[in-house]
Amino acid sequence: MKILVQKFGGTSVARLECMKQVREKVLHGLAQGNKVIAVLSARSGETNNLLALADEWSSTPDKAECDALVATGEQVSISLFTMLLRDAGIRARSLLGWQIPITTDNDFGRARILSINSKALHGFLEDYDVLVVAGFQGCTEDGRITTLGRGGSDTSAVALAAALGSVECEIYTDVDGVYTTDPNICSTARKMDRVAYEEMLEMASMGAKVLHIRSVEFAKKYKVPVRVRSTFSSDPGTLVTQEDSSMEAVLVSGIAYDKDQARVTIRDLPDVPGMAAAVFGPLSEKGILVDMIVQNTSLDGHTDITFTISRKDLQLTLQVMKEVAEKTGASEVLHDVSVAKVSAIGVGMRNHSGVAARTFAALTQEGINILMISTSEIKITILIQEKYVELAVRILHDTFGLDWDIG
Ligand code: ADP
Ligand code: ASP
Ligand code: MG
């Protein structure tokens, strides 16, 4: 049995006319001799609306109840779409995470998939040609509904593709593929035909929301070819796949940005062993993910530590840092929410030097001040004032020759 997993994002299922286009893509998959698993997101805006509702009802919404609430967005999409398929005479049924089940851990709001009952899915495929599965959700071993984190339907789709041995996992969205940078903020962004898993991993973790980061982790681990394409065109899109030598020839293949950053500085910590653990231990206990970290050197026996976090974690982080400051004798805690990070990514960086220097020179020319820097083997990231993000993305895109003309 040939199985194809196709995932359709929020804009693809937003309205009846869009869903009809989604149906065409599913029909095409069937016509190629596949059984189809169609993974759907909530209609665009719906998850935000549900989360706003939770905040309206409760000052500190219970995380498990929040998941039970937001998972309903996908339930609406899959039942409506299945009606549409059945109207066209297609043997289809909808499936929620718990009905399969897709089992996850109990980290509500950002649960990780532990297992998928592929045997049950094979059983359903005996009776149906299309299974319409709710993305973004799963359930714990004791039956509580979980969600996988914002943008998590991509991960549901790739995990299903891995579990079922799908020929390819198609991710349908509102753009034609993966671009050299977000085409919505840089008009010269160029669509890539192929991108390496590792580059895509860095792009996703550095803010390119076209694919959920965990979906790329799954794809890389289980070698699932992922094709990102548009619901609204027949363009072949971008294949996310294993690296090859032609990819290494390109120094920088993409620029990503992330505005969901807040910077926190804890000042005048005693410069003795254990201070970094005293700062980051309590943050990790509260489940707060820290992104960039810089520790300053200091001559008077004291040092500052600066780090970045997601803006939604700022209040909790400041509470935690207040306690840390009291315990350690640090003098003050500062914060800034008007920052954002921009990253240049490319597997070609492994064998070439000078990317950092060119990045800094280009930003200097525009008078953009760099607040923090971090690097990995295939990425350089800088933190800057949020107001300069679009400019910085365009400048770096141009500097590394990613525009159409230079190609
Ligand atoms: P969906 O609802 O289909 O999951 P998303 O909004 O999550 O869609 O992701 C698609 C969006 O990702 C695009 O509209 C685009 O603005 C954004 N994006 C950011 N970086 C990139 C990139 N490098 N290539 C393509 N799209 C990108
Ligand atoms: N509906 C969820 C969200 O908006 C999951 C997804 O769209 O992938 O984040
Ligand atoms: Mg998405």
Side-chain angles (χ1 to χ4, degrees), residues 327-392:
K327 277 194 198 137
T328 57
S331 66
E332 60 179 336
V333 178
L334 309 172
H335 69 276
D336 185 356
V337 285
S338 59
V339 294
K341 65 178 181 181
V342 177
S343 308
I345 295 144
V347 288
M349 277 186 216
R350 283 204 195 100
N351 307 316
H352 296 86
S353 56
V355 177
R358 280 171 72 184
T359 302
F360 304 150
L363 297 172
T364 306
Q365 266 194 343
E366 294 300 321
I368 300 174
N369 191 28
I370 298 170
L371 306 171
M372 289 172 89
I373 301 167
S374 91
T375 59
S376 80
E377 210 189 2
I378 65 159
K379 170 204 78 187
I380 169 144
T381 299
I382 45 142
L383 192 80
I384 57 175
Q385 287 297 322
E386 182 183 348
K387 62 184 175 191
Y388 295 124
V389 163
E390 278 84 2
L391 177 62

Short mmCIF file of all heavy atoms in Angstrom, two decimals, residues 327-392:
data_model
loop_
_atom_site.label_atom_id
_atom_site.label_comp_id
_atom_site.label_asym_id
_atom_site.label_seq_id
_atom_site.Cartn_x
_atom_site.Cartn_y
_atom_site.Cartn_z
N LYS A 327 19.49 36.12 46.38
CA LYS A 327 20.35 35.05 46.91
C LYS A 327 21.83 35.31 46.64
O LYS A 327 22.69 34.98 47.45
CB LYS A 327 19.97 33.71 46.27
CG LYS A 327 18.80 33.05 46.95
CD LYS A 327 18.70 31.59 46.51
CE LYS A 327 17.30 31.11 46.85
NZ LYS A 327 16.69 30.31 45.83
N THR A 328 22.14 35.87 45.47
CA THR A 328 23.55 35.97 45.06
C THR A 328 24.16 37.33 45.36
O THR A 328 25.38 37.49 45.27
CB THR A 328 23.68 35.74 43.54
OG1 THR A 328 22.84 36.71 42.89
CG2 THR A 328 23.26 34.34 43.14
N GLY A 329 23.31 38.31 45.66
CA GLY A 329 23.82 39.65 45.91
C GLY A 329 24.02 40.45 44.64
O GLY A 329 24.68 41.50 44.65
N ALA A 330 23.46 39.98 43.52
CA ALA A 330 23.55 40.76 42.27
C ALA A 330 22.85 42.10 42.47
O ALA A 330 21.88 42.19 43.23
CB ALA A 330 22.89 39.98 41.14
N SER A 331 23.34 43.15 41.78
CA SER A 331 22.83 44.49 42.11
C SER A 331 21.48 44.81 41.45
O SER A 331 20.62 45.44 42.07
CB SER A 331 23.85 45.55 41.71
OG SER A 331 24.00 45.57 40.31
N GLU A 332 21.28 44.39 40.20
CA GLU A 332 19.99 44.70 39.56
C GLU A 332 19.72 43.79 38.37
O GLU A 332 20.61 43.11 37.87
CB GLU A 332 19.94 46.17 39.09
CG GLU A 332 21.01 46.53 38.10
CD GLU A 332 20.93 47.99 37.64
OE1 GLU A 332 19.85 48.59 37.70
OE2 GLU A 332 21.97 48.50 37.17
N VAL A 333 18.44 43.78 37.95
CA VAL A 333 18.03 42.98 36.79
C VAL A 333 17.42 43.93 35.77
O VAL A 333 16.48 44.67 36.09
CB VAL A 333 17.02 41.89 37.19
CG1 VAL A 333 16.55 41.11 35.97
CG2 VAL A 333 17.60 40.96 38.25
N LEU A 334 17.96 43.94 34.56
CA LEU A 334 17.46 44.83 33.50
C LEU A 334 16.79 44.00 32.43
O LEU A 334 17.12 42.82 32.25
CB LEU A 334 18.62 45.60 32.87
CG LEU A 334 19.57 46.33 33.81
CD1 LEU A 334 20.77 46.86 33.04
CD2 LEU A 334 18.81 47.48 34.50
N HIS A 335 15.85 44.60 31.69
CA HIS A 335 15.28 43.85 30.57
C HIS A 335 14.91 44.78 29.43
O HIS A 335 14.76 45.99 29.62
CB HIS A 335 14.05 43.04 31.02
CG HIS A 335 12.88 43.87 31.37
ND1 HIS A 335 12.71 44.44 32.61
CD2 HIS A 335 11.81 44.25 30.63
CE1 HIS A 335 11.58 45.13 32.62
NE2 HIS A 335 11.02 45.03 31.43
N ASP A 336 14.79 44.17 28.23
CA ASP A 336 14.50 44.93 27.02
C ASP A 336 13.69 44.02 26.09
O ASP A 336 14.14 42.93 25.75
CB ASP A 336 15.85 45.30 26.37
CG ASP A 336 15.68 46.20 25.15
OD1 ASP A 336 14.52 46.46 24.77
OD2 ASP A 336 16.71 46.62 24.58
N VAL A 337 12.50 44.49 25.71
CA VAL A 337 11.69 43.64 24.81
C VAL A 337 11.71 44.13 23.37
O VAL A 337 11.03 43.57 22.52
CB VAL A 337 10.21 43.53 25.27
CG1 VAL A 337 10.07 42.62 26.45
CG2 VAL A 337 9.61 44.88 25.49
N SER A 338 12.49 45.17 23.10
CA SER A 338 12.47 45.70 21.72
C SER A 338 13.65 45.15 20.92
O SER A 338 14.27 45.85 20.14
CB SER A 338 12.51 47.22 21.75
OG SER A 338 13.67 47.63 22.42
N VAL A 339 13.97 43.87 21.14
CA VAL A 339 15.10 43.27 20.43
C VAL A 339 14.62 42.12 19.55
O VAL A 339 13.52 41.59 19.74
CB VAL A 339 16.17 42.75 21.42
CG1 VAL A 339 16.82 43.89 22.18
CG2 VAL A 339 15.57 41.73 22.39
N ALA A 340 15.46 41.73 18.60
CA ALA A 340 15.13 40.61 17.71
C ALA A 340 16.44 40.02 17.21
O ALA A 340 17.48 40.68 17.27
CB ALA A 340 14.30 41.10 16.54
N LYS A 341 16.37 38.78 16.72
CA LYS A 341 17.63 38.20 16.22
C LYS A 341 17.54 37.91 14.72
O LYS A 341 16.46 37.61 14.19
CB LYS A 341 18.02 36.96 17.01
CG LYS A 341 17.08 35.81 16.88
CD LYS A 341 17.58 34.60 17.66
CE LYS A 341 16.61 33.46 17.46
NZ LYS A 341 16.97 32.25 18.17
N VAL A 342 18.68 38.03 14.08
CA VAL A 342 18.77 37.77 12.64
C VAL A 342 19.93 36.78 12.46
O VAL A 342 20.97 36.92 13.09
CB VAL A 342 19.06 39.08 11.86
CG1 VAL A 342 19.24 38.79 10.38
CG2 VAL A 342 17.93 40.07 12.08
N SER A 343 19.71 35.76 11.61
CA SER A 343 20.74 34.73 11.43
C SER A 343 21.03 34.51 9.96
O SER A 343 20.13 34.50 9.13
CB SER A 343 20.26 33.39 11.99
OG SER A 343 19.80 33.54 13.31
N ALA A 344 22.31 34.30 9.66
CA ALA A 344 22.73 33.85 8.32
C ALA A 344 23.11 32.37 8.46
O ALA A 344 23.85 32.01 9.37
CB ALA A 344 23.92 34.66 7.84
N ILE A 345 22.55 31.54 7.55
CA ILE A 345 22.69 30.08 7.70
C ILE A 345 23.20 29.46 6.40
O ILE A 345 22.74 29.83 5.32
CB ILE A 345 21.31 29.48 8.04
CG1 ILE A 345 20.86 29.98 9.41
CG2 ILE A 345 21.34 27.94 8.03
CD1 ILE A 345 19.40 30.23 9.52
N GLY A 346 24.12 28.49 6.53
CA GLY A 346 24.56 27.79 5.31
C GLY A 346 25.57 26.70 5.64
O GLY A 346 26.51 26.95 6.40
N VAL A 347 25.37 25.51 5.06
CA VAL A 347 26.33 24.43 5.33
C VAL A 347 27.71 24.77 4.74
O VAL A 347 28.72 24.26 5.20
CB VAL A 347 25.86 23.05 4.80
CG1 VAL A 347 24.72 22.50 5.63
CG2 VAL A 347 25.47 23.10 3.33
N GLY A 348 27.74 25.67 3.76
CA GLY A 348 29.00 26.08 3.15
C GLY A 348 29.94 26.77 4.14
O GLY A 348 31.15 26.84 3.93
N MET A 349 29.38 27.29 5.26
CA MET A 349 30.21 27.99 6.26
C MET A 349 31.24 27.07 6.88
O MET A 349 32.25 27.52 7.40
CB MET A 349 29.33 28.51 7.39
CG MET A 349 28.68 29.81 7.11
SD MET A 349 27.83 30.34 8.61
CE MET A 349 26.41 31.11 7.88
N ARG A 350 30.95 25.74 6.86
CA ARG A 350 31.88 24.79 7.47
C ARG A 350 33.28 24.91 6.87
O ARG A 350 34.26 24.75 7.55
CB ARG A 350 31.39 23.36 7.21
CG ARG A 350 30.26 22.97 8.08
CD ARG A 350 30.24 21.44 8.21
NE ARG A 350 28.96 21.04 8.74
CZ ARG A 350 27.96 20.58 8.00
NH1 ARG A 350 28.13 20.42 6.71
NH2 ARG A 350 26.81 20.27 8.55
N ASN A 351 33.29 25.19 5.56
CA ASN A 351 34.60 25.19 4.88
C ASN A 351 35.07 26.58 4.47
O ASN A 351 36.05 26.71 3.75
CB ASN A 351 34.53 24.30 3.63
CG ASN A 351 34.02 22.93 3.97
OD1 ASN A 351 34.45 22.35 4.97
ND2 ASN A 351 33.08 22.42 3.20
N HIS A 352 34.35 27.61 4.84
CA HIS A 352 34.76 28.95 4.44
C HIS A 352 34.80 29.86 5.66
O HIS A 352 33.94 29.77 6.52
CB HIS A 352 33.76 29.57 3.45
CG HIS A 352 33.67 28.83 2.15
ND1 HIS A 352 32.84 27.75 1.97
CD2 HIS A 352 34.31 29.01 0.98
CE1 HIS A 352 32.97 27.30 0.74
NE2 HIS A 352 33.86 28.04 0.12
N SER A 353 35.78 30.75 5.68
CA SER A 353 35.81 31.72 6.78
C SER A 353 35.31 33.06 6.25
O SER A 353 35.06 33.21 5.06
CB SER A 353 37.24 31.85 7.30
OG SER A 353 38.07 32.19 6.22
N GLY A 354 35.15 34.01 7.14
CA GLY A 354 34.84 35.37 6.71
C GLY A 354 33.37 35.74 6.74
O GLY A 354 33.02 36.91 6.51
N VAL A 355 32.50 34.78 7.04
CA VAL A 355 31.06 35.12 7.04
C VAL A 355 30.75 36.11 8.16
O VAL A 355 30.03 37.09 7.96
CB VAL A 355 30.19 33.84 7.21
CG1 VAL A 355 28.73 34.20 7.29
CG2 VAL A 355 30.45 32.90 6.04
N ALA A 356 31.33 35.88 9.33
CA ALA A 356 31.07 36.77 10.46
C ALA A 356 31.54 38.19 10.12
O ALA A 356 30.81 39.16 10.29
CB ALA A 356 31.76 36.26 11.70
N ALA A 357 32.76 38.29 9.60
CA ALA A 357 33.32 39.61 9.29
C ALA A 357 32.44 40.33 8.27
O ALA A 357 32.14 41.53 8.42
CB ALA A 357 34.73 39.46 8.76
N ARG A 358 31.98 39.61 7.25
CA ARG A 358 31.13 40.25 6.22
C ARG A 358 29.79 40.67 6.82
O ARG A 358 29.23 41.70 6.46
CB ARG A 358 30.92 39.29 5.05
CG ARG A 358 32.13 39.29 4.11
CD ARG A 358 32.03 38.20 3.09
NE ARG A 358 31.00 38.46 2.06
CZ ARG A 358 30.68 37.58 1.10
NH1 ARG A 358 31.32 36.41 1.04
NH2 ARG A 358 29.77 37.88 0.22
N THR A 359 29.27 39.86 7.73
CA THR A 359 28.00 40.19 8.38
C THR A 359 28.15 41.50 9.17
O THR A 359 27.34 42.42 9.03
CB THR A 359 27.58 39.05 9.34
OG1 THR A 359 27.48 37.85 8.60
CG2 THR A 359 26.28 39.35 10.05
N PHE A 360 29.21 41.56 9.98
CA PHE A 360 29.39 42.75 10.82
C PHE A 360 29.63 43.99 9.96
O PHE A 360 29.09 45.06 10.22
CB PHE A 360 30.58 42.56 11.78
CG PHE A 360 30.45 41.33 12.66
CD1 PHE A 360 31.58 40.65 13.10
CD2 PHE A 360 29.20 40.86 13.04
CE1 PHE A 360 31.47 39.51 13.89
CE2 PHE A 360 29.07 39.73 13.83
CZ PHE A 360 30.21 39.05 14.25
N ALA A 361 30.43 43.83 8.90
CA ALA A 361 30.74 44.99 8.05
C ALA A 361 29.47 45.52 7.40
O ALA A 361 29.23 46.74 7.35
CB ALA A 361 31.76 44.59 6.99
N ALA A 362 28.62 44.61 6.92
CA ALA A 362 27.39 45.04 6.24
C ALA A 362 26.48 45.80 7.21
O ALA A 362 25.88 46.82 6.85
CB ALA A 362 26.67 43.82 5.68
N LEU A 363 26.38 45.32 8.44
CA LEU A 363 25.50 45.98 9.41
C LEU A 363 26.09 47.32 9.85
O LEU A 363 25.36 48.29 10.04
CB LEU A 363 25.27 45.06 10.62
CG LEU A 363 24.55 43.76 10.27
CD1 LEU A 363 24.53 42.81 11.44
CD2 LEU A 363 23.12 44.03 9.80
N THR A 364 27.40 47.38 9.95
CA THR A 364 28.06 48.63 10.34
C THR A 364 27.75 49.72 9.32
O THR A 364 27.45 50.86 9.67
CB THR A 364 29.60 48.43 10.40
OG1 THR A 364 29.85 47.34 11.26
CG2 THR A 364 30.31 49.68 10.91
N GLN A 365 27.80 49.34 8.05
CA GLN A 365 27.54 50.32 6.98
C GLN A 365 26.18 50.96 7.12
O GLN A 365 25.97 52.10 6.75
CB GLN A 365 27.64 49.63 5.63
CG GLN A 365 29.01 49.76 5.04
CD GLN A 365 29.01 49.37 3.57
OE1 GLN A 365 28.09 48.71 3.09
NE2 GLN A 365 30.05 49.78 2.87
N GLU A 366 25.22 50.20 7.66
CA GLU A 366 23.86 50.74 7.83
C GLU A 366 23.68 51.34 9.22
O GLU A 366 22.57 51.73 9.60
CB GLU A 366 22.84 49.61 7.64
CG GLU A 366 22.79 49.06 6.24
CD GLU A 366 22.42 50.10 5.19
OE1 GLU A 366 21.56 50.95 5.48
OE2 GLU A 366 23.01 50.06 4.09
N GLY A 367 24.73 51.35 10.02
CA GLY A 367 24.64 51.93 11.37
C GLY A 367 23.82 51.08 12.33
O GLY A 367 23.23 51.60 13.27
N ILE A 368 23.76 49.77 12.08
CA ILE A 368 22.98 48.90 12.98
C ILE A 368 23.90 48.36 14.07
O ILE A 368 24.92 47.73 13.78
CB ILE A 368 22.34 47.72 12.19
CG1 ILE A 368 21.39 48.27 11.12
CG2 ILE A 368 21.61 46.77 13.14
CD1 ILE A 368 20.82 47.21 10.20
N ASN A 369 23.52 48.61 15.32
CA ASN A 369 24.34 48.20 16.45
C ASN A 369 24.07 46.74 16.80
O ASN A 369 22.92 46.30 16.87
CB ASN A 369 24.02 49.11 17.64
CG ASN A 369 25.01 48.93 18.76
OD1 ASN A 369 26.16 48.58 18.51
ND2 ASN A 369 24.56 49.14 19.98
N ILE A 370 25.13 45.98 17.03
CA ILE A 370 24.97 44.56 17.39
C ILE A 370 24.99 44.44 18.91
O ILE A 370 25.92 44.89 19.58
CB ILE A 370 26.10 43.72 16.76
CG1 ILE A 370 26.03 43.82 15.24
CG2 ILE A 370 26.01 42.26 17.21
CD1 ILE A 370 27.22 43.23 14.51
N LEU A 371 23.93 43.81 19.47
CA LEU A 371 23.83 43.71 20.92
C LEU A 371 24.41 42.40 21.45
O LEU A 371 24.99 42.37 22.53
CB LEU A 371 22.35 43.80 21.35
CG LEU A 371 21.60 45.03 20.83
CD1 LEU A 371 20.11 44.90 21.13
CD2 LEU A 371 22.16 46.28 21.47
N MET A 372 24.23 41.33 20.70
CA MET A 372 24.78 40.03 21.10
C MET A 372 25.12 39.25 19.84
O MET A 372 24.52 39.47 18.79
CB MET A 372 23.76 39.21 21.92
CG MET A 372 23.51 39.75 23.30
SD MET A 372 22.12 38.89 24.12
CE MET A 372 22.94 37.54 24.90
N ILE A 373 26.04 38.31 19.98
CA ILE A 373 26.44 37.47 18.84
C ILE A 373 26.49 36.02 19.30
O ILE A 373 26.95 35.75 20.42
CB ILE A 373 27.86 37.84 18.35
CG1 ILE A 373 27.92 39.32 17.93
CG2 ILE A 373 28.30 36.94 17.20
CD1 ILE A 373 29.34 39.83 17.74
N SER A 374 26.01 35.09 18.47
CA SER A 374 26.29 33.69 18.76
C SER A 374 26.51 32.96 17.44
O SER A 374 25.97 33.36 16.40
CB SER A 374 25.17 33.04 19.58
OG SER A 374 24.22 32.47 18.75
N THR A 375 27.33 31.93 17.47
CA THR A 375 27.63 31.22 16.22
C THR A 375 27.56 29.72 16.42
O THR A 375 27.68 29.23 17.54
CB THR A 375 29.06 31.54 15.72
OG1 THR A 375 29.99 31.14 16.72
CG2 THR A 375 29.24 32.99 15.40
N SER A 376 27.32 29.01 15.33
CA SER A 376 27.49 27.56 15.34
C SER A 376 28.25 27.26 14.06
O SER A 376 28.60 28.17 13.31
CB SER A 376 26.13 26.84 15.35
OG SER A 376 25.59 26.82 14.05
N GLU A 377 28.46 25.97 13.80
CA GLU A 377 29.24 25.58 12.64
C GLU A 377 28.66 26.12 11.33
O GLU A 377 29.37 26.48 10.41
CB GLU A 377 29.23 24.05 12.61
CG GLU A 377 30.43 23.43 12.02
CD GLU A 377 30.24 21.94 11.83
OE1 GLU A 377 29.16 21.40 12.13
OE2 GLU A 377 31.19 21.32 11.35
N ILE A 378 27.33 26.20 11.26
CA ILE A 378 26.71 26.59 9.98
C ILE A 378 25.80 27.82 10.14
O ILE A 378 24.90 28.03 9.34
CB ILE A 378 25.93 25.41 9.35
CG1 ILE A 378 24.72 24.99 10.20
CG2 ILE A 378 26.82 24.23 9.08
CD1 ILE A 378 23.69 24.22 9.40
N LYS A 379 26.06 28.64 11.18
CA LYS A 379 25.14 29.76 11.41
C LYS A 379 25.84 30.88 12.17
O LYS A 379 26.68 30.62 13.03
CB LYS A 379 23.96 29.22 12.22
CG LYS A 379 23.03 30.24 12.75
CD LYS A 379 22.31 29.69 13.96
CE LYS A 379 23.19 29.73 15.18
NZ LYS A 379 22.65 29.07 16.35
N ILE A 380 25.48 32.13 11.83
CA ILE A 380 25.88 33.24 12.69
C ILE A 380 24.63 34.03 13.03
O ILE A 380 23.83 34.35 12.15
CB ILE A 380 26.99 34.11 12.06
CG1 ILE A 380 27.17 35.39 12.87
CG2 ILE A 380 26.74 34.50 10.62
CD1 ILE A 380 28.60 35.81 12.93
N THR A 381 24.45 34.30 14.31
CA THR A 381 23.24 35.00 14.76
C THR A 381 23.63 36.28 15.49
O THR A 381 24.56 36.27 16.29
CB THR A 381 22.46 34.11 15.76
OG1 THR A 381 22.08 32.92 15.10
CG2 THR A 381 21.21 34.81 16.28
N ILE A 382 22.89 37.35 15.19
CA ILE A 382 23.13 38.60 15.93
C ILE A 382 21.81 39.08 16.52
O ILE A 382 20.75 38.87 15.95
CB ILE A 382 23.70 39.69 15.00
CG1 ILE A 382 22.89 39.71 13.70
CG2 ILE A 382 25.17 39.46 14.67
CD1 ILE A 382 22.66 41.03 13.17
N LEU A 383 21.92 39.71 17.68
CA LEU A 383 20.75 40.32 18.30
C LEU A 383 20.85 41.82 18.05
O LEU A 383 21.91 42.42 18.27
CB LEU A 383 20.74 40.03 19.81
CG LEU A 383 19.44 40.37 20.51
CD1 LEU A 383 18.41 39.26 20.27
CD2 LEU A 383 19.64 40.55 22.01
N ILE A 384 19.75 42.41 17.57
CA ILE A 384 19.75 43.85 17.27
C ILE A 384 18.44 44.47 17.75
O ILE A 384 17.54 43.74 18.20
CB ILE A 384 19.90 44.11 15.74
CG1 ILE A 384 18.77 43.39 14.98
CG2 ILE A 384 21.25 43.65 15.23
CD1 ILE A 384 18.76 43.67 13.49
N GLN A 385 18.30 45.77 17.64
CA GLN A 385 17.03 46.41 17.97
C GLN A 385 15.98 45.95 16.96
O GLN A 385 16.26 45.89 15.76
CB GLN A 385 17.16 47.95 17.89
CG GLN A 385 17.96 48.56 19.05
CD GLN A 385 17.29 48.33 20.40
OE1 GLN A 385 16.06 48.39 20.52
NE2 GLN A 385 18.08 48.04 21.42
N GLU A 386 14.77 45.66 17.45
CA GLU A 386 13.73 45.11 16.59
C GLU A 386 13.44 45.99 15.37
O GLU A 386 13.18 45.51 14.27
CB GLU A 386 12.45 44.89 17.41
CG GLU A 386 11.36 44.27 16.58
CD GLU A 386 10.05 44.11 17.34
OE1 GLU A 386 10.02 44.26 18.57
OE2 GLU A 386 9.04 43.85 16.66
N LYS A 387 13.54 47.32 15.58
CA LYS A 387 13.16 48.22 14.47
C LYS A 387 14.06 48.05 13.24
O LYS A 387 13.72 48.50 12.15
CB LYS A 387 13.13 49.67 14.94
CG LYS A 387 14.44 50.20 15.42
CD LYS A 387 14.29 51.61 15.96
CE LYS A 387 15.62 52.06 16.54
NZ LYS A 387 15.58 53.27 17.30
N TYR A 388 15.23 47.43 13.41
CA TYR A 388 16.14 47.27 12.28
C TYR A 388 16.05 45.90 11.60
O TYR A 388 16.83 45.60 10.69
CB TYR A 388 17.59 47.48 12.73
CG TYR A 388 17.88 48.88 13.20
CD1 TYR A 388 18.40 49.11 14.47
CD2 TYR A 388 17.64 49.97 12.38
CE1 TYR A 388 18.67 50.40 14.91
CE2 TYR A 388 17.90 51.27 12.80
CZ TYR A 388 18.41 51.47 14.08
OH TYR A 388 18.67 52.75 14.50
N VAL A 389 15.12 45.05 12.06
CA VAL A 389 15.12 43.67 11.57
C VAL A 389 14.95 43.57 10.05
O VAL A 389 15.74 42.92 9.37
CB VAL A 389 14.04 42.83 12.27
CG1 VAL A 389 13.74 41.56 11.50
CG2 VAL A 389 14.51 42.45 13.64
N GLU A 390 13.91 44.22 9.53
CA GLU A 390 13.65 44.10 8.09
C GLU A 390 14.85 44.60 7.29
O GLU A 390 15.27 43.97 6.32
CB GLU A 390 12.39 44.88 7.68
CG GLU A 390 11.08 44.13 7.94
CD GLU A 390 10.58 44.26 9.37
OE1 GLU A 390 11.23 44.97 10.18
OE2 GLU A 390 9.55 43.63 9.70
N LEU A 391 15.42 45.71 7.75
CA LEU A 391 16.58 46.28 7.06
C LEU A 391 17.74 45.29 7.11
O LEU A 391 18.37 44.99 6.08
CB LEU A 391 16.97 47.61 7.73
CG LEU A 391 18.20 48.31 7.17
CD1 LEU A 391 18.00 48.69 5.71
CD2 LEU A 391 18.52 49.57 7.99
N ALA A 392 18.01 44.75 8.28
CA ALA A 392 19.14 43.82 8.43
C ALA A 392 18.95 42.58 7.55
O ALA A 392 19.89 42.12 6.90
CB ALA A 392 19.29 43.41 9.89
#
